[in-house]
Amino acid sequence: MITNKTLKLSLKSLREFAKKRLPDETLIDLDNKDECPLDIVRHMCSPDKLGIQLLFVPEEFGGMGGQTFDVYCICEEMARIDLGIATSVLATFLGSDPITVGATPEQKKVWLTRIAEEGILFAYGATEPEAGSDLGALRTTAERVIDNGKIVGYKISGNKQWISNGGVADAYTVLANTPAGPSWFIVEKGAKGFTHDEPEDKHGIRLSNTAALALDNVYVDADRLVGGVEGQGLLQAQAVFGYTRLMVAAFGLGAGWSALDRAIPYSTKRIQAGGPLSEKQGYTHKLIVPNVARLEAARSYIEETAERIDAGEGSLNTEGAIAKYMATEAGNLAADASIQALGGYGYTHEYMVEKIKRDVRITTIYEGTSEIMEMTISRDRWQNHLKTRGQYYHELAKKFEALHAKHPNVGADIAALAMHALADVMEKARETRLTRHQHVLLRLGELIAYAECAGSLARRAALMEENKLNEKANKRFDAAGLAAISRIFAREAALKVAAEGLRWVIGTGGLTDAEIPAFETKAGLPAIHRAQAGLISDLDYVADVLYGRAAKRVEAAA
Ligand SMILES: Cc1cc2nc3c(=O)[nH]c(=O)nc-3n(C[C@H](O)[C@H](O)[C@H](O)COP(=O)(O)OP(=O)(O)OC[C@H]3O[C@@H](n4cnc5c(N)ncnc54)[C@H](O)[C@@H]3O)c2cc1C
């Protein structure tokens, strides 16, 4: 168990290390050279140096026994430094996950202890040239080697694609088909018949080594089959999806904030049309504040999901998918807006936001693409909708109406409008069988993610008002700031759910012309329009908070 003090110390060491060893010039140079700084990655994973990986290794194997919440905080911080290096460190987290979840006690002792004590680097080998989103298409095989009627080992053959740390890891977890189905194997570097390609020439995360692997009859002893039972591989992978997707969500969050934290100070110094850009609404209210709102909505969902995983609520795969989807999409939007915010300078290498934008692009692709996240979210919540006869989101909305009664400023009433609208759109989709169109199913996934994040952020703002937020939670904004951010995001979410929900219902022929006005009212579109009142003053307020002007405004008002 890691205390808040230890966590804060680890974050501080990480920041200081980055400041010293990874200044912008070094990062830009490595990015230009397309080079993975292996010495840095090893330093970060070395137990006698930074020892980041100790955080997630259980105490019984020499680690610090960090929980999901701790690992999220570290992942966000790493992403703020460099997403390529963060990916290299994460590869060891991911690579050892099948072991943490599914290995025998002996295997855990060997491999997790080696990660803790020797700082060995892992790679996670699931994807193949023909099997990306659809891992069921896996072709790598593990053939049993039998001696005296007993399985003594396996011969693994196949190809893996896009493997982070592929060319630099000490050990690999490789997914392969055994006669009983997909299974994880641990393969060490240098095994006979095991090779990797040259690193890929990538769009971003150029400081991370990504390489294809080839396995040609690679022999491993039977004790390298994770868990000792064949056919458990996909279950073991799924058991940690909630957790691993939260880590990538934290990457999107950290990278998005890292870009905004360059744009915000830049805009205070850049004078155009007689004043700093930070004073211009057309700038802050388009490029900065909405991105802050989306990132903080995603943060809220990440933190809640991390707390629930740590409380033992299960793997929470759907919640992990919502967190990843929202945070990585928001991170991409924030980085793109930051390029715009720096104008021509933003488009050059020197100012870093261009690199961050290229880097953060990967987060909507690896660990499950955004489209796969949309599908995962939609399919799961669709079942909830059916099981509750369409009441799932109406019931949730009632909880937010109750929250609004206690905390009238946190946007819970608007989050409730989003949920009622969602319930009505989903019910209409059911009545008219609209989800037979895959596009509609996936768009519903997006709307669900927005509505749930609006609720989560309103809950977070209420907790902040009560001073009951998790002690490890990010506290960049005070209660008034967070409440304003929550109202901004809830308005966006509610309008999106209602307007786009209607768009797809109408677009697939779910309503006749005559039925449209009544359905608009039923889904709450007029109420959602009315809830936009106050939007500009909330945008003004959050801009003031971000630029340190809020206190002055309060003073002036007094
Ligand atoms: C830099 C990098 C590092 C990576 N690191 C690792 C690693 O360490 N280990 C590892 O195992 N893998 C790794 N990956 C692989 C990554 O997880 C996959 O690229 C990802 O899962 C997508 O698979 P794919 O590339 O085959 O794309 P595809 O699955 O072919 O998808 C292509 C497009 O089609 C969409 N699509 C796919 N299926 C559907 C569907 N049913 N309906 C609608 N749309 C669909 C996708 O959303 C995507 O937009 C890495 C990839 C990259 C680029």
Side-chain angles (χ1 to χ4, degrees), residues 154-470:
Y154 291 86
K155 280 187 177 171
I156 307 174
S157 295
N159 294 288
K160 295 289 168 183
Q161 187 76 16
W162 318 120
I163 305 305
S164 303
N165 284 357
V168 299
D170 304 300
Y172 298 72
T173 30
V174 171
L175 191 64
N177 266 319
T178 62
S183 310
W184 289 101
F185 290 90
I186 305 163
V187 182
E188 279 182 276
K189 83 169 171 201
K192 194 160 172 278
F194 185 33
T195 53
H196 61 80
D197 272 357
E198 288 298 303
E200 302 287 350
D201 180 5
K202 305 189 295 293
H203 174 66
I205 59 165
R206 289 165 74 83
L207 278 70
S208 164
N209 173 289
T210 315
L213 310 176
L215 298 107
D216 180 11
N217 269 313
V218 176
Y219 176 80
V220 292
D221 285 333
D223 67 1
R224 296 300 174 85
L225 166 66
V226 173
V229 180
E230 294 176 4
Q232 303 300 304
L234 293 183
L235 288 176
Q236 288 160 351
Q238 275 162 9
V240 285
F241 267 157
Y243 172 84
T244 56
R245 286 174 175 162
L246 270 196
M247 303 310 125
V248 180
F251 280 7
L253 180 67
W257 260 117
S258 164
L260 288 180
D261 277 334
R262 288 170 189 273
I264 291 168
Y266 175 88
S267 61
T268 61
K269 297 199 181 77
R270 177 73 176 163
I271 311 293
Q272 290 293 287
L277 292 172
S278 56
E279 304 277 330
K280 299 179 193 302
Q281 273 190 342
Y283 180 93
T284 54
H285 294 14
K286 177 184 176 193
L287 301 176
I288 309 291
V289 182
N291 288 299
V292 167
R294 279 179 220 121
L295 285 171
E296 287 308 297
R299 176 193 301 289
S300 182
Y301 209 88
I302 294 173
E303 291 196 350
E304 277 192 353
T305 307
E307 280 172 354
R308 292 177 59 195
I309 292 177
D310 289 340
E313 280 193 43
S315 59
L316 300 185
N317 287 355
T318 306
E319 286 73 11
I322 292 177
K324 179 184 189 283
Y325 179 68
M326 289 300 291
T328 61
E329 291 288 335
N332 270 277
L333 288 174
D336 195 51
S338 299
I339 294 184
Q340 190 72 10
L342 268 73
Y345 299 97
Y347 198 61
T348 64
H349 290 306
E350 194 186 334
Y351 285 76
M352 291 297 280
V353 286
E354 176 271 347
K355 174 180 171 297
I356 297 170
K357 173 68 190 101
R358 279 187 289 109
D359 288 350
V360 73
R361 192 67 193 78
I362 189 59
T363 60
T364 62
I365 298 174
Y366 66 14
E367 269 306 286
T369 65
S370 279
E371 294 69 38
I372 298 302
M373 296 304 99
E374 288 168 350
M375 203 184 307
T376 305
I377 298 163
S378 197
R379 279 185 177 159
D380 181 69
R381 297 304 197 239
W382 186 250
Q383 290 310 313
N384 292 353
H385 179 83
L386 296 184
K387 275 189 230 149
T388 57
R389 297 179 179 274
Q391 292 307 302
Y392 183 73
Y393 283 108
H394 283 311
E395 289 301 323
L396 213 52
K398 284 182 198 154
K399 293 192 177 152
F400 285 98
E401 282 156 359
L403 183 68
H404 176 69
K406 275 179 78 186
H407 294 272
N409 294 320
V410 297
D413 53 338
I414 315 175
L417 289 176
M419 284 170 196
H420 281 307
L422 183 60
D424 288 328
V425 166
M426 287 174 83
E427 184 54 13
K428 184 54 73 182
R430 185 197 66 77
E431 280 167 18
T432 45
R433 297 181 57 244
L434 302 187
T435 52
R436 66 185 185 276
H437 301 280
Q438 194 211 22
H439 185 54
V440 174
L441 187 71
L442 269 62
R443 300 296 13 99
L444 282 178
E446 182 185 22
L447 303 185
I448 290 166
Y450 266 79
E452 292 202 19
C453 283
S456 172
L457 187 53
R459 247 185 329 245
R460 187 174 207 269
L463 281 175
M464 190 75 176
E465 283 189 352
E466 292 177 3
N467 218 357
K468 285 193 185 149
L469 212 53
N470 185 327

